[in-house]
Amino acid sequence: MKFQNVHIIDDTLDALANLVVENGLIQEIEILDGRPDPAQPVLLPAFTDLHAHFRDPGFTYKEDVVSGSRAAVRGGYTAVNLMPNTLPVVSSVAQAREVEDRIAALNIIHANQVVSMTLNEQGQDCSHLRSIPAGTIPFVSDDGKGVNRDDVMEEIFNICKEKDFLIMAHEEDARYSPQDLRMAENAMTFRDLKLCEKTGGSIHFCHVSTIEAITAIAEAKAKGLRVSCEVCPHHIYFNAEQANYYRVAPPFRKDEDIEALIKGMQDGTVDAISTDHAPHTPEDKANGANGISGIETAFALCYTKLVRGGHLTLNQLVKLMSTTPSAMMRLNKGAFKVGMKADFVKVDLNEPYIIRAEEFASRGKNTPFEGQQVWGNVLETIREGQTVYQA
Ligand code: DOR
């Protein structure tokens, strides 16, 4: 299969090219002379989401593996990392493989199912991690909740260091949540940076949202601690007022937080942009559920705010949404390189469009971005050379 005269952009390239794809892999890349026509769509490496909720098993009325996979490709994603706060909670490798196998059978996207870092996300017991062979799972997480007990968290750091599992931490100290969600995120982030240093372990901070947390993470990186972090599109697009205090955890913040997160993207403190795709029904939202159905709006929100807004180049955005998260998931994708998977997304950067939740493939229509005008429409998503979504 050939892609002729296409405008390819990845973390480093921005060129006209001919691509040859065979057996789902990029076989040849011929860079052409001449300037790409800015009216033409661009081809990017398909996105990888380090942080999504497909709600399957247990909450399939909100989302299931089919609707979640279709939503992913509609958003330009061909790989997702699924959080374990399902029913039952995913606390074993067997449960994780079961979800992964059902998604693989659909042949739409690749999925890794994360295993919880405490048993059933109850925050008390991490002994189940001891029985998982080293290196067999990339990540553990209790996403949706913080692990409040310091002793349990320290043990998780130690086990994960020995086994080469990466902690994906939801930083929220429940003691502060009722009255101060900024304190809740900051306090647990600071504790985990201390534990990271003490144990010599490593940690990935999920959905970082405060200036204090991102500053502390930058300092820790400068000291050489093994830390990484992600930021979500919604947290950089709207402040709390603009979002009309839409419920999400962590919450929408202030302009100074947004500025600090963007600076973190510019200077390399932020490793990845993750969606925290969190589909809910209108009833569950009305009853206070936190979350945004975000996987179908992620690229357009980021392109509009960050690239059109003059904060990042498209190369930098591709690095955050594709190259680095793919590498963190140990996937052979995320750039235009011979031998890498032919996972591409074709996007239109010229015509604005209006976000309409009723058009989402996700079962979750919960978004504070209804009616927003954005740029960066996903026209087509290609996985291993096959079209898996077309607008
Ligand atoms: O807003 C959120 N929703 N944040 C989380 O951490 C969990 C997620 C969910 O599962 O609904």
Side-chain angles (χ1 to χ4, degrees), residues 51-53 55 62 83 85-86 142-145 170-172 206-207 234-235 247-251 276-280 285 289-292 366:
H51 189 145
H53 301 266
R55 311 293 193 206
K62 297 179 197 259
M83 289 299 150
N85 58 342
T86 50
D142 271 11
D143 185 60
K145 285 181 194 161
H170 175 110
E171 302 298 40
E172 181 178 349
C206 292
H207 41 54
H234 46 270
H235 287 130
R247 285 191 65 118
V248 63
D276 196 7
H277 176 68
H280 289 293
K285 284 303 288 183
N290 280 316
I292 294 171
N366 47 308

PDB file of all heavy atoms in Angstrom, residues 51-53 55 62 83 85-86 142-145 170-172 206-207 234-235 247-251 276-280 285 289-292 366, ligand 1:
ATOM      1  N   HIS A  51      -4.310   7.049  29.476  1.00  0.00           N
ATOM      2  CA  HIS A  51      -5.239   7.117  30.608  1.00  0.00           C
ATOM      3  C   HIS A  51      -6.683   7.248  30.122  1.00  0.00           C
ATOM      4  O   HIS A  51      -7.143   8.337  29.789  1.00  0.00           O
ATOM      5  CB  HIS A  51      -4.857   8.335  31.455  1.00  0.00           C
ATOM      6  CG  HIS A  51      -5.572   8.440  32.751  1.00  0.00           C
ATOM      7  ND1 HIS A  51      -4.995   8.929  33.891  1.00  0.00           N
ATOM      8  CD2 HIS A  51      -6.836   8.128  33.116  1.00  0.00           C
ATOM      9  CE1 HIS A  51      -5.857   8.912  34.892  1.00  0.00           C
ATOM     10  NE2 HIS A  51      -6.998   8.431  34.436  1.00  0.00           N
ATOM     11  N   ALA A  52      -7.406   6.110  30.072  1.00  0.00           N
ATOM     12  CA  ALA A  52      -8.813   6.145  29.649  1.00  0.00           C
ATOM     13  C   ALA A  52      -9.619   5.154  30.484  1.00  0.00           C
ATOM     14  O   ALA A  52      -9.072   4.202  31.058  1.00  0.00           O
ATOM     15  CB  ALA A  52      -8.931   5.800  28.169  1.00  0.00           C
ATOM     16  N   HIS A  53     -10.921   5.402  30.548  1.00  0.00           N
ATOM     17  CA  HIS A  53     -11.865   4.515  31.257  1.00  0.00           C
ATOM     18  C   HIS A  53     -12.874   3.992  30.258  1.00  0.00           C
ATOM     19  O   HIS A  53     -13.628   4.772  29.677  1.00  0.00           O
ATOM     20  CB  HIS A  53     -12.612   5.293  32.353  1.00  0.00           C
ATOM     21  CG  HIS A  53     -11.713   5.906  33.380  1.00  0.00           C
ATOM     22  ND1 HIS A  53     -11.398   5.278  34.566  1.00  0.00           N
ATOM     23  CD2 HIS A  53     -11.049   7.085  33.407  1.00  0.00           C
ATOM     24  CE1 HIS A  53     -10.589   6.052  35.275  1.00  0.00           C
ATOM     25  NE2 HIS A  53     -10.352   7.160  34.589  1.00  0.00           N
ATOM     26  N   ARG A  55     -14.924   1.359  31.288  1.00  0.00           N
ATOM     27  CA  ARG A  55     -16.057   0.953  32.166  1.00  0.00           C
ATOM     28  C   ARG A  55     -16.495  -0.492  32.013  1.00  0.00           C
ATOM     29  O   ARG A  55     -17.617  -0.831  32.409  1.00  0.00           O
ATOM     30  CB  ARG A  55     -17.280   1.835  31.897  1.00  0.00           C
ATOM     31  CG  ARG A  55     -17.036   3.327  31.874  1.00  0.00           C
ATOM     32  CD  ARG A  55     -16.649   3.830  33.217  1.00  0.00           C
ATOM     33  NE  ARG A  55     -16.714   5.283  33.300  1.00  0.00           N
ATOM     34  CZ  ARG A  55     -15.969   5.982  34.159  1.00  0.00           C
ATOM     35  NH1 ARG A  55     -15.111   5.375  34.977  1.00  0.00           N
ATOM     36  NH2 ARG A  55     -16.081   7.281  34.220  1.00  0.00           N
ATOM     37  N   LYS A  62     -22.369   2.945  30.809  1.00  0.00           N
ATOM     38  CA  LYS A  62     -21.651   4.213  30.572  1.00  0.00           C
ATOM     39  C   LYS A  62     -20.784   4.115  29.316  1.00  0.00           C
ATOM     40  O   LYS A  62     -20.600   5.080  28.581  1.00  0.00           O
ATOM     41  CB  LYS A  62     -20.728   4.536  31.743  1.00  0.00           C
ATOM     42  CG  LYS A  62     -21.397   4.783  33.091  1.00  0.00           C
ATOM     43  CD  LYS A  62     -20.296   5.062  34.124  1.00  0.00           C
ATOM     44  CE  LYS A  62     -20.733   4.940  35.557  1.00  0.00           C
ATOM     45  NZ  LYS A  62     -21.002   6.237  36.179  1.00  0.00           N
ATOM     46  N   MET A  83      -7.878   2.212  32.754  1.00  0.00           N
ATOM     47  CA  MET A  83      -7.799   2.247  34.215  1.00  0.00           C
ATOM     48  C   MET A  83      -8.676   1.152  34.836  1.00  0.00           C
ATOM     49  O   MET A  83      -9.699   0.767  34.252  1.00  0.00           O
ATOM     50  CB  MET A  83      -8.200   3.632  34.706  1.00  0.00           C
ATOM     51  CG  MET A  83      -7.137   4.656  34.365  1.00  0.00           C
ATOM     52  SD  MET A  83      -5.573   4.208  35.166  1.00  0.00           S
ATOM     53  CE  MET A  83      -4.398   4.886  34.016  1.00  0.00           C
ATOM     54  N   ASN A  85     -10.676   0.917  37.508  1.00  0.00           N
ATOM     55  CA  ASN A  85     -11.805   1.156  38.418  1.00  0.00           C
ATOM     56  C   ASN A  85     -13.143   0.731  37.789  1.00  0.00           C
ATOM     57  O   ASN A  85     -14.073   1.515  37.672  1.00  0.00           O
ATOM     58  CB  ASN A  85     -11.847   2.617  38.894  1.00  0.00           C
ATOM     59  CG  ASN A  85     -11.956   3.631  37.762  1.00  0.00           C
ATOM     60  OD1 ASN A  85     -11.689   3.328  36.602  1.00  0.00           O
ATOM     61  ND2 ASN A  85     -12.360   4.841  38.092  1.00  0.00           N
ATOM     62  N   THR A  86     -13.175  -0.542  37.390  1.00  0.00           N
ATOM     63  CA  THR A  86     -14.375  -1.161  36.837  1.00  0.00           C
ATOM     64  C   THR A  86     -15.048  -1.964  37.952  1.00  0.00           C
ATOM     65  O   THR A  86     -14.641  -1.885  39.112  1.00  0.00           O
ATOM     66  CB  THR A  86     -13.973  -2.084  35.669  1.00  0.00           C
ATOM     67  OG1 THR A  86     -12.921  -2.934  36.119  1.00  0.00           O
ATOM     68  CG2 THR A  86     -13.501  -1.282  34.464  1.00  0.00           C
ATOM     69  N   ASP A 142      -4.317   2.993  41.055  1.00  0.00           N
ATOM     70  CA  ASP A 142      -5.617   3.019  41.743  1.00  0.00           C
ATOM     71  C   ASP A 142      -6.394   4.236  41.249  1.00  0.00           C
ATOM     72  O   ASP A 142      -7.044   4.936  42.025  1.00  0.00           O
ATOM     73  CB  ASP A 142      -5.444   3.107  43.272  1.00  0.00           C
ATOM     74  CG  ASP A 142      -5.339   1.731  43.911  1.00  0.00           C
ATOM     75  OD1 ASP A 142      -5.198   0.743  43.166  1.00  0.00           O
ATOM     76  OD2 ASP A 142      -5.392   1.643  45.152  1.00  0.00           O
ATOM     77  N   ASP A 143      -6.317   4.500  39.957  1.00  0.00           N
ATOM     78  CA  ASP A 143      -6.897   5.750  39.459  1.00  0.00           C
ATOM     79  C   ASP A 143      -8.347   5.926  39.883  1.00  0.00           C
ATOM     80  O   ASP A 143      -9.131   4.980  39.906  1.00  0.00           O
ATOM     81  CB  ASP A 143      -6.815   5.819  37.932  1.00  0.00           C
ATOM     82  CG  ASP A 143      -7.308   7.176  37.463  1.00  0.00           C
ATOM     83  OD1 ASP A 143      -6.696   8.176  37.871  1.00  0.00           O
ATOM     84  OD2 ASP A 143      -8.324   7.242  36.758  1.00  0.00           O
ATOM     85  N   GLY A 144      -8.664   7.170  40.200  1.00  0.00           N
ATOM     86  CA  GLY A 144      -9.973   7.505  40.758  1.00  0.00           C
ATOM     87  C   GLY A 144      -9.857   7.792  42.247  1.00  0.00           C
ATOM     88  O   GLY A 144     -10.681   8.496  42.813  1.00  0.00           O
ATOM     89  N   LYS A 145      -8.776   7.248  42.844  1.00  0.00           N
ATOM     90  CA  LYS A 145      -8.562   7.413  44.288  1.00  0.00           C
ATOM     91  C   LYS A 145      -7.065   7.516  44.571  1.00  0.00           C
ATOM     92  O   LYS A 145      -6.262   6.878  43.883  1.00  0.00           O
ATOM     93  CB  LYS A 145      -9.001   6.145  45.033  1.00  0.00           C
ATOM     94  CG  LYS A 145     -10.464   5.930  45.170  1.00  0.00           C
ATOM     95  CD  LYS A 145     -10.636   4.634  45.956  1.00  0.00           C
ATOM     96  CE  LYS A 145     -12.062   4.143  45.852  1.00  0.00           C
ATOM     97  NZ  LYS A 145     -12.146   2.725  46.188  1.00  0.00           N
ATOM     98  N   HIS A 170      -2.923   8.584  41.012  1.00  0.00           N
ATOM     99  CA  HIS A 170      -4.005   9.575  41.149  1.00  0.00           C
ATOM    100  C   HIS A 170      -3.765  10.252  42.488  1.00  0.00           C
ATOM    101  O   HIS A 170      -3.921   9.636  43.544  1.00  0.00           O
ATOM    102  CB  HIS A 170      -5.352   8.853  41.121  1.00  0.00           C
ATOM    103  CG  HIS A 170      -6.534   9.739  41.380  1.00  0.00           C
ATOM    104  ND1 HIS A 170      -7.448  10.057  40.405  1.00  0.00           N
ATOM    105  CD2 HIS A 170      -6.962  10.377  42.506  1.00  0.00           C
ATOM    106  CE1 HIS A 170      -8.389  10.847  40.919  1.00  0.00           C
ATOM    107  NE2 HIS A 170      -8.115  11.052  42.198  1.00  0.00           N
ATOM    108  N   GLU A 171      -3.357  11.502  42.435  1.00  0.00           N
ATOM    109  CA  GLU A 171      -2.923  12.181  43.655  1.00  0.00           C
ATOM    110  C   GLU A 171      -4.066  12.968  44.259  1.00  0.00           C
ATOM    111  O   GLU A 171      -4.393  14.064  43.809  1.00  0.00           O
ATOM    112  CB  GLU A 171      -1.728  13.092  43.336  1.00  0.00           C
ATOM    113  CG  GLU A 171      -0.538  12.354  42.740  1.00  0.00           C
ATOM    114  CD  GLU A 171       0.063  11.298  43.664  1.00  0.00           C
ATOM    115  OE1 GLU A 171      -0.700  10.585  44.344  1.00  0.00           O
ATOM    116  OE2 GLU A 171       1.302  11.176  43.721  1.00  0.00           O
ATOM    117  N   GLU A 172      -4.651  12.391  45.290  1.00  0.00           N
ATOM    118  CA  GLU A 172      -5.766  13.061  45.966  1.00  0.00           C
ATOM    119  C   GLU A 172      -5.846  12.530  47.387  1.00  0.00           C
ATOM    120  O   GLU A 172      -6.294  11.391  47.610  1.00  0.00           O
ATOM    121  CB  GLU A 172      -7.079  12.796  45.206  1.00  0.00           C
ATOM    122  CG  GLU A 172      -8.262  13.484  45.850  1.00  0.00           C
ATOM    123  CD  GLU A 172      -9.568  13.265  45.084  1.00  0.00           C
ATOM    124  OE1 GLU A 172      -9.535  12.759  43.936  1.00  0.00           O
ATOM    125  OE2 GLU A 172     -10.614  13.594  45.664  1.00  0.00           O
ATOM    126  N   CYS A 206      -0.550  11.116  37.280  1.00  0.00           N
ATOM    127  CA  CYS A 206      -1.697  11.266  36.382  1.00  0.00           C
ATOM    128  C   CYS A 206      -2.253  12.682  36.479  1.00  0.00           C
ATOM    129  O   CYS A 206      -2.122  13.336  37.511  1.00  0.00           O
ATOM    130  CB  CYS A 206      -2.803  10.283  36.767  1.00  0.00           C
ATOM    131  SG  CYS A 206      -2.362   8.567  36.462  1.00  0.00           S
ATOM    132  N   HIS A 207      -2.910  13.103  35.409  1.00  0.00           N
ATOM    133  CA  HIS A 207      -3.677  14.357  35.352  1.00  0.00           C
ATOM    134  C   HIS A 207      -3.215  15.453  36.333  1.00  0.00           C
ATOM    135  O   HIS A 207      -3.975  15.894  37.186  1.00  0.00           O
ATOM    136  CB  HIS A 207      -5.174  14.110  35.505  1.00  0.00           C
ATOM    137  CG  HIS A 207      -5.590  13.079  36.526  1.00  0.00           C
ATOM    138  ND1 HIS A 207      -5.190  13.116  37.830  1.00  0.00           N
ATOM    139  CD2 HIS A 207      -6.391  11.990  36.405  1.00  0.00           C
ATOM    140  CE1 HIS A 207      -5.723  12.095  38.467  1.00  0.00           C
ATOM    141  NE2 HIS A 207      -6.450  11.393  37.633  1.00  0.00           N
ATOM    142  N   HIS A 234      -8.569  18.974  28.983  1.00  0.00           N
ATOM    143  CA  HIS A 234      -9.569  19.860  29.600  1.00  0.00           C
ATOM    144  C   HIS A 234      -8.929  20.840  30.578  1.00  0.00           C
ATOM    145  O   HIS A 234      -9.339  21.997  30.651  1.00  0.00           O
ATOM    146  CB  HIS A 234     -10.704  19.067  30.273  1.00  0.00           C
ATOM    147  CG  HIS A 234     -10.286  17.924  31.125  1.00  0.00           C
ATOM    148  ND1 HIS A 234     -10.134  16.653  30.634  1.00  0.00           N
ATOM    149  CD2 HIS A 234      -9.988  17.840  32.450  1.00  0.00           C
ATOM    150  CE1 HIS A 234      -9.779  15.853  31.617  1.00  0.00           C
ATOM    151  NE2 HIS A 234      -9.678  16.552  32.728  1.00  0.00           N
ATOM    152  N   HIS A 235      -7.906  20.377  31.314  1.00  0.00           N
ATOM    153  CA  HIS A 235      -7.302  21.257  32.319  1.00  0.00           C
ATOM    154  C   HIS A 235      -6.562  22.441  31.717  1.00  0.00           C
ATOM    155  O   HIS A 235      -6.323  23.433  32.419  1.00  0.00           O
ATOM    156  CB  HIS A 235      -6.351  20.465  33.222  1.00  0.00           C
ATOM    157  CG  HIS A 235      -7.060  19.567  34.189  1.00  0.00           C
ATOM    158  ND1 HIS A 235      -6.728  18.237  34.346  1.00  0.00           N
ATOM    159  CD2 HIS A 235      -8.090  19.805  35.031  1.00  0.00           C
ATOM    160  CE1 HIS A 235      -7.536  17.702  35.249  1.00  0.00           C
ATOM    161  NE2 HIS A 235      -8.369  18.623  35.681  1.00  0.00           N
ATOM    162  N   ARG A 247     -17.889  19.084  36.851  1.00  0.00           N
ATOM    163  CA  ARG A 247     -17.242  18.171  37.808  1.00  0.00           C
ATOM    164  C   ARG A 247     -16.273  17.212  37.127  1.00  0.00           C
ATOM    165  O   ARG A 247     -16.657  16.419  36.254  1.00  0.00           O
ATOM    166  CB  ARG A 247     -18.292  17.367  38.564  1.00  0.00           C
ATOM    167  CG  ARG A 247     -19.005  18.185  39.632  1.00  0.00           C
ATOM    168  CD  ARG A 247     -19.823  17.268  40.496  1.00  0.00           C
ATOM    169  NE  ARG A 247     -18.949  16.371  41.229  1.00  0.00           N
ATOM    170  CZ  ARG A 247     -18.872  16.345  42.563  1.00  0.00           C
ATOM    171  NH1 ARG A 247     -19.613  17.132  43.299  1.00  0.00           N
ATOM    172  NH2 ARG A 247     -18.068  15.497  43.153  1.00  0.00           N
ATOM    173  N   VAL A 248     -15.034  17.282  37.557  1.00  0.00           N
ATOM    174  CA  VAL A 248     -13.999  16.361  37.095  1.00  0.00           C
ATOM    175  C   VAL A 248     -12.945  16.300  38.194  1.00  0.00           C
ATOM    176  O   VAL A 248     -12.780  17.255  38.953  1.00  0.00           O
ATOM    177  CB  VAL A 248     -13.410  16.828  35.738  1.00  0.00           C
ATOM    178  CG1 VAL A 248     -12.721  18.173  35.851  1.00  0.00           C
ATOM    179  CG2 VAL A 248     -12.487  15.789  35.119  1.00  0.00           C
ATOM    180  N   ALA A 249     -12.281  15.165  38.298  1.00  0.00           N
ATOM    181  CA  ALA A 249     -11.233  15.019  39.313  1.00  0.00           C
ATOM    182  C   ALA A 249      -9.897  14.759  38.626  1.00  0.00           C
ATOM    183  O   ALA A 249      -9.797  13.797  37.879  1.00  0.00           O
ATOM    184  CB  ALA A 249     -11.551  13.849  40.254  1.00  0.00           C
ATOM    185  N   PRO A 250      -8.870  15.601  38.894  1.00  0.00           N
ATOM    186  CA  PRO A 250      -8.935  16.839  39.659  1.00  0.00           C
ATOM    187  C   PRO A 250      -9.798  17.884  38.954  1.00  0.00           C
ATOM    188  O   PRO A 250     -10.051  17.770  37.758  1.00  0.00           O
ATOM    189  CB  PRO A 250      -7.464  17.287  39.740  1.00  0.00           C
ATOM    190  CG  PRO A 250      -6.714  16.479  38.759  1.00  0.00           C
ATOM    191  CD  PRO A 250      -7.530  15.307  38.380  1.00  0.00           C
ATOM    192  N   PRO A 251     -10.211  18.911  39.700  1.00  0.00           N
ATOM    193  CA  PRO A 251     -11.139  19.885  39.130  1.00  0.00           C
ATOM    194  C   PRO A 251     -10.458  20.855  38.157  1.00  0.00           C
ATOM    195  O   PRO A 251      -9.227  20.926  38.099  1.00  0.00           O
ATOM    196  CB  PRO A 251     -11.624  20.649  40.365  1.00  0.00           C
ATOM    197  CG  PRO A 251     -10.502  20.555  41.330  1.00  0.00           C
ATOM    198  CD  PRO A 251      -9.851  19.223  41.094  1.00  0.00           C
ATOM    199  N   ASP A 276      -7.891  11.073  30.159  1.00  0.00           N
ATOM    200  CA  ASP A 276      -8.736  10.717  31.309  1.00  0.00           C
ATOM    201  C   ASP A 276     -10.196  10.564  30.857  1.00  0.00           C
ATOM    202  O   ASP A 276     -11.129  10.947  31.578  1.00  0.00           O
ATOM    203  CB  ASP A 276      -8.620  11.733  32.446  1.00  0.00           C
ATOM    204  CG  ASP A 276      -9.164  11.191  33.768  1.00  0.00           C
ATOM    205  OD1 ASP A 276      -9.506   9.988  33.833  1.00  0.00           O
ATOM    206  OD2 ASP A 276      -9.263  11.975  34.728  1.00  0.00           O
ATOM    207  N   HIS A 277     -10.368  10.013  29.664  1.00  0.00           N
ATOM    208  CA  HIS A 277     -11.712   9.766  29.106  1.00  0.00           C
ATOM    209  C   HIS A 277     -12.577   9.063  30.157  1.00  0.00           C
ATOM    210  O   HIS A 277     -12.292   7.926  30.539  1.00  0.00           O
ATOM    211  CB  HIS A 277     -11.559   8.904  27.850  1.00  0.00           C
ATOM    212  CG  HIS A 277     -12.846   8.477  27.221  1.00  0.00           C
ATOM    213  ND1 HIS A 277     -13.695   9.366  26.614  1.00  0.00           N
ATOM    214  CD2 HIS A 277     -13.428   7.248  27.096  1.00  0.00           C
ATOM    215  CE1 HIS A 277     -14.755   8.705  26.142  1.00  0.00           C
ATOM    216  NE2 HIS A 277     -14.619   7.412  26.428  1.00  0.00           N
ATOM    217  N   ALA A 278     -13.609   9.759  30.626  1.00  0.00           N
ATOM    218  CA  ALA A 278     -14.412   9.256  31.757  1.00  0.00           C
ATOM    219  C   ALA A 278     -15.902   9.392  31.442  1.00  0.00           C
ATOM    220  O   ALA A 278     -16.570  10.321  31.899  1.00  0.00           O
ATOM    221  CB  ALA A 278     -14.048  10.010  33.029  1.00  0.00           C
ATOM    222  N   PRO A 279     -16.422   8.463  30.629  1.00  0.00           N
ATOM    223  CA  PRO A 279     -17.831   8.539  30.229  1.00  0.00           C
ATOM    224  C   PRO A 279     -18.780   8.263  31.389  1.00  0.00           C
ATOM    225  O   PRO A 279     -18.530   7.381  32.215  1.00  0.00           O
ATOM    226  CB  PRO A 279     -17.948   7.444  29.151  1.00  0.00           C
ATOM    227  CG  PRO A 279     -16.794   6.522  29.377  1.00  0.00           C
ATOM    228  CD  PRO A 279     -15.704   7.320  30.006  1.00  0.00           C
ATOM    229  N   HIS A 280     -19.851   9.048  31.446  1.00  0.00           N
ATOM    230  CA  HIS A 280     -20.916   8.862  32.451  1.00  0.00           C
ATOM    231  C   HIS A 280     -22.259   9.125  31.787  1.00  0.00           C
ATOM    232  O   HIS A 280     -22.338   9.840  30.776  1.00  0.00           O
ATOM    233  CB  HIS A 280     -20.754   9.857  33.599  1.00  0.00           C
ATOM    234  CG  HIS A 280     -19.606   9.588  34.500  1.00  0.00           C
ATOM    235  ND1 HIS A 280     -19.533   8.485  35.322  1.00  0.00           N
ATOM    236  CD2 HIS A 280     -18.460  10.289  34.722  1.00  0.00           C
ATOM    237  CE1 HIS A 280     -18.400   8.529  36.015  1.00  0.00           C
ATOM    238  NE2 HIS A 280     -17.724   9.600  35.665  1.00  0.00           N
ATOM    239  N   LYS A 285     -24.050  11.942  36.137  1.00  0.00           N
ATOM    240  CA  LYS A 285     -23.494  13.303  36.267  1.00  0.00           C
ATOM    241  C   LYS A 285     -24.356  14.138  37.202  1.00  0.00           C
ATOM    242  O   LYS A 285     -23.830  14.867  38.057  1.00  0.00           O
ATOM    243  CB  LYS A 285     -23.415  13.998  34.897  1.00  0.00           C
ATOM    244  CG  LYS A 285     -22.293  13.539  33.993  1.00  0.00           C
ATOM    245  CD  LYS A 285     -20.896  13.673  34.577  1.00  0.00           C
ATOM    246  CE  LYS A 285     -20.376  15.098  34.675  1.00  0.00           C
ATOM    247  NZ  LYS A 285     -18.974  15.134  35.204  1.00  0.00           N
ATOM    248  N   ALA A 289     -21.234  12.572  39.601  1.00  0.00           N
ATOM    249  CA  ALA A 289     -20.076  11.821  39.094  1.00  0.00           C
ATOM    250  C   ALA A 289     -19.059  12.782  38.474  1.00  0.00           C
ATOM    251  O   ALA A 289     -19.420  13.720  37.758  1.00  0.00           O
ATOM    252  CB  ALA A 289     -20.527  10.800  38.053  1.00  0.00           C
ATOM    253  N   ASN A 290     -17.779  12.509  38.751  1.00  0.00           N
ATOM    254  CA  ASN A 290     -16.688  13.290  38.175  1.00  0.00           C
ATOM    255  C   ASN A 290     -16.310  12.726  36.816  1.00  0.00           C
ATOM    256  O   ASN A 290     -16.193  11.513  36.677  1.00  0.00           O
ATOM    257  CB  ASN A 290     -15.450  13.198  39.066  1.00  0.00           C
ATOM    258  CG  ASN A 290     -15.521  14.118  40.250  1.00  0.00           C
ATOM    259  OD1 ASN A 290     -15.907  15.275  40.119  1.00  0.00           O
ATOM    260  ND2 ASN A 290     -15.157  13.607  41.413  1.00  0.00           N
ATOM    261  N   GLY A 291     -16.060  13.593  35.842  1.00  0.00           N
ATOM    262  CA  GLY A 291     -15.469  13.087  34.612  1.00  0.00           C
ATOM    263  C   GLY A 291     -16.019  13.705  33.354  1.00  0.00           C
ATOM    264  O   GLY A 291     -17.118  14.251  33.320  1.00  0.00           O
ATOM    265  N   ILE A 292     -15.190  13.557  32.295  1.00  0.00           N
ATOM    266  CA  ILE A 292     -15.483  14.122  30.974  1.00  0.00           C
ATOM    267  C   ILE A 292     -15.266  13.035  29.933  1.00  0.00           C
ATOM    268  O   ILE A 292     -14.255  12.320  29.983  1.00  0.00           O
ATOM    269  CB  ILE A 292     -14.539  15.316  30.691  1.00  0.00           C
ATOM    270  CG1 ILE A 292     -14.847  16.462  31.652  1.00  0.00           C
ATOM    271  CG2 ILE A 292     -14.609  15.759  29.238  1.00  0.00           C
ATOM    272  CD1 ILE A 292     -13.848  17.586  31.610  1.00  0.00           C
ATOM    273  N   ASN A 366     -20.995  13.292  28.152  1.00  0.00           N
ATOM    274  CA  ASN A 366     -20.697  14.287  29.186  1.00  0.00           C
ATOM    275  C   ASN A 366     -19.466  15.110  28.830  1.00  0.00           C
ATOM    276  O   ASN A 366     -18.340  14.617  28.879  1.00  0.00           O
ATOM    277  CB  ASN A 366     -20.504  13.594  30.551  1.00  0.00           C
ATOM    278  CG  ASN A 366     -19.593  12.383  30.512  1.00  0.00           C
ATOM    279  OD1 ASN A 366     -19.767  11.471  29.706  1.00  0.00           O
ATOM    280  ND2 ASN A 366     -18.610  12.360  31.387  1.00  0.00           N
TER     281      ASN A 366
HETATM  282  O1  DOR B   1     -12.998  12.820  36.771  1.00  0.00           O
HETATM  283  C1  DOR B   1     -12.580  11.694  36.932  1.00  0.00           C
HETATM  284  N1  DOR B   1     -13.284  10.614  36.574  1.00  0.00           N
HETATM  285  N2  DOR B   1     -11.373  11.528  37.492  1.00  0.00           N
HETATM  286  C2  DOR B   1     -10.939  10.319  37.861  1.00  0.00           C
HETATM  287  O2  DOR B   1      -9.853  10.227  38.337  1.00  0.00           O
HETATM  288  C3  DOR B   1     -11.781   9.120  37.697  1.00  0.00           C
HETATM  289  C4  DOR B   1     -12.705   9.303  36.578  1.00  0.00           C
HETATM  290  C5  DOR B   1     -13.793   8.269  36.519  1.00  0.00           C
HETATM  291  O3  DOR B   1     -13.478   7.081  36.602  1.00  0.00           O
HETATM  292  O4  DOR B   1     -14.951   8.655  36.333  1.00  0.00           O
END
